[in-house]
Amino acid sequence: MSNSAENTSKRPLRVAIVGAGPAGVYAADILTKSNEVKDGDFEVSIDLFEAYPAPYGLIRYGVAPDHPRIKGIVNALHKVLDRGDIRFLGNVTYGRDLTLHDFRAFYDAVIFSTGAIKDADLDIPGVGLQGSFGGADFVSWYDGHPDVPRDWPLDAKEIAVIGNGNVALDVARMLVKHADELLVTEIPDNVYQALKNSPVTDVHVFGRRGPAQVKFTPLELRELSHAKDVDIVLYPEDFEFDEASDEAIRGNNQIRTMVTTLTNWLVEEHAEAEEPSSRRLHLHFLHSPVEIHDDPEHPGQVTGIKFERMQLDGTGNVKGTGEFLDYPVQAVYRAIGYHGSPLDELEYDARRGVIPNEGGRVLDSDGNPVPGIYATGWIKRGPVGLIGHTKGDALETIGFLLEDRLNLPPAQNPDPQAIIDLLEERGIEYTTWEGWNKLDARELALGTEWTASAGADGVARERIKVVPREEMVRISRG
């Protein structure tokens, strides 16, 4: 038996998970339910760290608040953390409050599940103009992220959203939807007021490829049609399909459903045109962004955007036609994907935005596994797939951790109290699961208070999100 096995056989295996979003919670849950733990081969003690005072990561700060299915995911994550066998420690930032050396001292293994929160780059002229925004930044704002300014410049009447994934549709829907429809969600009051005062009339969503190559899901697409007083506008010239598109439509139910929905909207659009709505959501395909235009009368401000018209090449990919189109817009939102951020003392693949790894085993600069260090979720494989896909990631990563468990570098101080003592010694105002329950109760109470003040004819609000970090910490620790 190795020294590590001797050191850990008489005590629980200490595991730290950095990031309390779905990926981190799934990893913790899978480890606690593994056959090795259930059969009594060893015990495990897990601490789940989060940079924000509240848990849930992407679910709380990266998904549009009007998604009804998200509540179900939150409930599932809540059940895992509410069991009491996984300790939550929030408001603790890796690389600032705790270092890799610290984690090594108190844990036998560390799993990083820090996700991806930054926008992927779009390298075209004008991207730095005032009025050009990252979609991820906008999502963070309307989701009440504690580290994002409370104000957002919503003064454009015509807006372009670049991207054909779920985030692009979320961004477009939040921009075009009337704010009163969002009162039933948990949006903070500053978000509601800003959206209510928005002068927007037209939001244009642009994708490089055709309707059969979009990256969003049927549910996301259908949700567009639920917005009141918003017309969906499509263009017949965008509905050209090559051989690969036809094959994809025939062979994939999801693609067939989306193309059918879009083509039905195209047909129905003219029948509804007699009573136009006050706002319009335009869906464009086969458009590749070329340049964001500067305003000659107000230098530095977005005044329009240029695209090259694309055409399908027979394989489902596209090629340029040499035809260029200009659209007058006063704001541009880039929603072409997320990108992971580097983590102190770990290798980083800047092109992919991930921690280099093999199946979740983190690699060093020579490509060798770093003992006891793992990754899961988007920081492991990149920001692709739906939330549920992170379960498969976690299963793979935990499988390797279980394989390695007899040879992990043992923690110098595995006492669960030791990390608490260190956090308190450093003056870090960490939050706990009990603290989250207090904050959760406060947000529910704010919804009840708002509903009561609105009167019998008002909208019933289930909860209102608390935004300032200091207030979140105060409520959680109070």
Side-chain angles (χ1 to χ4, degrees):
M1 184 180 286
S2 68
N3 288 337
S4 174
E6 290 177 358
N7 289 334
T8 60
S9 62
K10 297 178 181 178
R11 63 168 173 82
L13 187 76
R14 290 283 286 145
V15 177
I17 300 177
V18 182
V25 177
Y26 290 150
D29 189 40
I30 289 169
L31 181 54
T32 59
K33 292 179 178 177
S34 64
N35 289 332
E36 291 84 345
V37 171
K38 287 195 298 183
D39 294 344
D41 293 353
F42 73 103
E43 294 180 40
V44 65
S45 170
I46 302 173
D47 285 343
L48 184 63
F49 290 86
E50 174 55 59
Y52 310 130
Y56 307 143
L58 173 70
I59 296 294
R60 185 171 169 94
Y61 295 122
V63 180
D66 58 348
H67 281 314
R69 74 180 187 278
I70 296 306
K71 187 178 295 185
I73 299 175
V74 168
N75 290 341
L77 300 180
H78 179 94
K79 286 179 181 177
V80 173
L81 295 180
D82 204 43
R83 293 194 312 245
D85 56 348
I86 299 163
R87 185 167 63 172
F88 172 75
L89 295 170
N91 203 39
V92 180
T93 300
Y94 172 77
R96 185 192 69 192
D97 299 328
L98 293 176
T99 65
L100 186 61
H101 175 78
D102 294 326
F103 280 108
R104 288 286 206 186
F106 297 105
Y107 300 93
D108 306 300
V110 186
I111 304 172
F112 288 92
S113 57
T114 50
I117 60 170
K118 296 193 174 183
D119 285 286
D121 291 333
L122 178 64
D123 188 17
I124 61 172
V127 76
L129 291 172
Q130 185 177 346
S132 173
F133 305 106
D137 292 335
F138 182 58
V139 172
S140 293
W141 173 76
Y142 67 59
D143 271 335
H145 192 296
D147 300 332
V148 172
R150 305 292 298 279
D151 298 322
W152 190 272
L154 288 169
D155 48 16
K157 289 186 175 181
E158 300 158 300
I159 300 171
V161 177
I162 303 173
N164 252 176
N166 285 342
V167 175
L169 292 195
D170 279 355
V171 167
R173 196 178 64 256
M174 290 294 290
L175 285 166
V176 79
K177 206 169 187 177
H178 290 278
D180 284 351
E181 283 195 72
L182 296 167
L183 281 174
V184 295
T185 75
E186 62 184 17
I187 61 167
D189 286 337
N190 67 297
V191 175
Y192 167 69
Q193 293 297 337
L195 291 172
K196 188 173 180 64
N197 294 326
S198 170
V200 67
T201 59
D202 293 83
V203 174
H204 299 260
V205 181
F206 296 95
R208 282 189 74 249
R209 299 202 288 171
Q213 288 80 38
V214 295
K215 297 296 184 184
F216 42 74
T217 58
L219 180 61
E220 289 279 348
L221 185 60
R222 286 194 297 269
E223 285 182 359
L224 292 183
S225 65
H226 297 160
K228 297 176 182 177
D229 191 34
V230 177
D231 286 338
I232 298 176
V233 184
L234 298 107
Y235 298 85
E237 62 269 25
D238 289 345
F239 285 78
E240 298 178 3
F241 301 97
D242 61 359
E243 294 176 12
S245 299
D246 290 335
E247 185 177 332
I249 293 168
R250 286 193 301 268
N252 186 299
N253 287 334
Q254 178 166 306
I255 293 173
R256 182 164 58 252
T257 298
M258 289 190 291
V259 171
T260 300
T261 300
L262 289 167
T263 51
N264 285 343
W265 286 351
L266 182 63
V267 172
E268 294 167 1
E269 177 189 330
H270 299 287
E272 298 175 358
E274 295 179 6
E275 295 184 16
S277 299
S278 66
R279 293 179 175 179
R280 289 160 294 282
L281 178 59
H282 307 254
L283 299 180
H284 303 268
F285 304 98
L286 301 171
H287 281 65
S288 182
V290 174
E291 179 181 3
I292 301 173
H293 294 309
D294 199 349
D295 187 343
E297 296 183 6
H298 303 91
Q301 174 67 44
V302 170
T303 190
I305 185 167
K306 175 184 285 188
F307 292 90
E308 181 176 9
R309 183 74 184 173
M310 310 302 284
Q311 65 182 22
L312 293 162
D313 65 2
T315 69
N317 291 312
V318 292
K319 58 184 179 182
T321 65
E323 176 189 358
F324 295 91
L325 303 167
D326 288 296
Y327 294 85
V329 295
Q330 300 83 50
V332 175
Y333 288 76
R334 309 177 303 278
I336 57 172
Y338 285 91
H339 202 72
S341 303
L343 294 167
D344 286 0
E345 301 180 74
L346 298 177
E347 291 299 311
Y348 177 66
D349 182 337
R351 182 182 64 83
R352 296 180 58 219
V354 300
I355 301 172
N357 69 92
E358 284 184 357
R361 288 182 174 122
V362 171
L363 305 177
D364 62 19
S365 57
D366 296 323
N368 299 314
V370 181
I373 307 296
Y374 302 87
T376 192
W378 281 3
I379 199 63
K380 168 188 173 182
R381 63 179 166 88
V384 292
L386 301 176
I387 291 169
H389 293 161
T390 55
K391 286 185 179 179
D393 275 342
L395 195 61
E396 180 183 52
T397 295
I398 295 303
F400 283 122
L401 188 155
L402 291 170
E403 268 186 36
D404 301 340
R405 74 181 188 279
L406 297 181
N407 297 299
L408 296 172
Q412 299 160 22
N413 190 347
D415 183 353
Q417 182 60 34
I419 189 67
I420 300 298
D421 292 342
L422 179 65
L423 292 173
E424 292 181 347
E425 178 185 318
R426 292 180 177 176
I428 298 166
E429 293 186 301
Y430 65 91
T431 60
T432 63
W433 181 246
E434 292 75 20
W436 160 247
N437 284 329
K438 292 178 185 177
L439 180 58
D440 184 42
R442 179 58 185 148
E443 292 186 346
L444 290 168
L446 288 172
T448 301
E449 291 168 12
W450 195 97
T451 301
S453 66
D457 296 330
V459 176
R461 302 197 67 183
E462 183 179 353
R463 69 188 302 129
I464 298 176
K465 193 177 285 183
V466 173
V467 179
R469 182 183 285 264
E470 298 78 10
E471 187 177 354
M472 293 174 71
V473 171
R474 179 185 60 78
I475 294 169
S476 298
R477 290 175 62 88

